[in-house]
């Protein structure tokens, strides 16, 4: 039942109801045993043997038609992660999978596939954080550290000097400075000046502009650090959170089997 539900992009209960309806229609038992260990009856085995070639032919015909069609998968993603990490890697993925059209939508909300209609989601997940009916796979470690414009960071050679600089915050994660200090084993005094921005991409741009120092994930700032727009002389420390990809059950076999490959296309960077 579980494998059938996954293949058909439906719930376990939906398969069970269809089997019960088929048995009622035929007037015979097709399966026996406890719910967690069902086996086919003799009649069920004969029916399956007779229908399997027909289903295989249907599957082959549908797959043949699907190969010439463009399939769309929608990924709900953190905006800054999409801009700085995912979008730069899309050309490589699309070159390998030209039959797939990728649509990106921005969201920071918890994922619940009972409500949400996208095919997959990328979120930064705390170790104890649970998203309803969602099985998420970690695919990128999280490292964070202080970043600022090269000219500003050149004036902050020590942690004490860093602590006195204007601190930039994102409204989506106001604890960034305190979390980083704990991970780095540092004790910071109260900020002399703080500036807050609605989203991480605004935070990163503010750091580039020299408005202060931000604590940012490496995945969000890697392109700017490597291009010299940001400096990170204090490095990055590993965090307990991870960046995870989840897929809606309905997406499997419907273009969603490409989701793990979409995440994997940039693990080396």
């Amino acid at each position: 039942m579980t494998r059938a539900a996954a293949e058909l992009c439906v719930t376990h209960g939906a398969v069970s109801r269809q089997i019960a309806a088929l048995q009622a229609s035929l007037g015979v038992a097709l399966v026996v045993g406890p719910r967690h260990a069902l086996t086919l009856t003799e009649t069920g085995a004969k029916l399956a043997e007779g229908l399997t070639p027909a289903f295989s032919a249907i599957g082959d015909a549908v797959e043949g038609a699907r190969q010439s069609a463009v399939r769309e998968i929608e990924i709900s993603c953190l905006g800054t992660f999409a801009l700085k990490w995912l979008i730069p890697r899309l050309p490589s993925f699309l070159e390998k999978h030209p039959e797939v059209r990728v649509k990106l939508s921005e969201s920071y909300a918890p994922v619940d596939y009972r409500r949400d209609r996208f095919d997959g989601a990328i979120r930064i997940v705390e170790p104890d954080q649970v998203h309803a009916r969602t099985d998420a796979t970690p695919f990128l470690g999280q490292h964070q550290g202080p970043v600022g414009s090269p000219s500003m960071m050149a004036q902050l050679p020590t942690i004490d000097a860093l602590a006195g600089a204007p601190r930039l915050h994102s409204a989506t994660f106001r604890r960034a400075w305190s979390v980083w200090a704990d991970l780095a084993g540092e004790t910071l005094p109260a900020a002399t000046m703080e500036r807050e921005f609605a989203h991480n991409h605004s935070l990163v741009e503010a750091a580039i502009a020299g408005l202060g120092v931000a604590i940012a994930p490496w995945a969000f700032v890697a392109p700017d650090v490597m291009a010299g727009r940001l400096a990170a002389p204090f490095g990055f420390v590993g965090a307990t959170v991870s960046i995870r990809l989840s897929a809606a059950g309905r997406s499997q076999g419907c273009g969603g089997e490409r989701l793990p490959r979409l995440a994997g296309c940039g693990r080396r960077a």
Side-chain angles (χ1 to χ4, degrees), residues 38 40 57 135 146 148 161 175 178 223 251 269:
L38 290 173
L40 289 171
D135 185 13
R175 299 185 298 112
S178 61
S251 69

Side-chain angles (χ1 to χ4, degrees), residues 140-231:
L140 193 64
Q142 178 78 314
H143 297 79
Q144 55 194 36
V147 296
S149 69
S151 59
M152 172 169 283
M153 298 307 281
Q155 301 173 39
L156 307 173
T158 65
I159 290 292
D160 288 340
L162 178 73
R167 296 179 195 173
L168 307 182
H169 297 271
S170 167
T172 58
F173 189 47
R174 293 187 173 94
R175 299 185 298 112
W177 275 91
S178 61
V179 169
W180 172 79
D182 288 342
L183 291 170
E186 302 290 348
T187 301
L188 298 178
T192 57
M193 180 182 295
E194 296 181 294
R195 296 186 173 109
E196 183 172 292
F197 300 86
H199 298 292
N200 281 301
H201 51 78
S202 300
L203 175 80
V204 172
E205 290 302 317
I208 292 172
L211 292 177
V213 179
I215 299 297
W218 170 247
F220 289 7
V221 298
D224 298 304
V225 172
M226 290 187 288
R229 291 186 292 269
L230 283 172

Side-chain angles (χ1 to χ4, degrees), residues 46-114:
K46 289 181 179 179
L47 181 63
E49 182 180 357
L51 291 178
T52 295
F55 285 134
S56 297
I58 293 172
D60 291 343
V62 170
E63 185 59 29
R66 179 178 288 154
Q67 291 300 324
S68 61
V70 175
R71 283 171 281 172
E72 180 176 276
I73 54 175
E74 180 177 355
I75 307 297
S76 170
C77 187
L78 306 172
T80 309
F81 187 80
L83 289 171
K84 300 293 186 178
W85 193 94
L86 185 56
I87 291 175
R89 288 162 174 78
L90 277 180
S92 173
F93 173 81
L94 295 175
E95 183 179 355
K96 296 176 182 176
H97 305 285
E99 78 283 3
V100 179
R101 179 186 294 120
V102 179
K103 177 182 178 182
L104 299 180
S105 57
E106 180 178 342
S107 176
Y108 295 82
V111 177
D112 184 349
Y113 287 114
R114 294 171 297 184

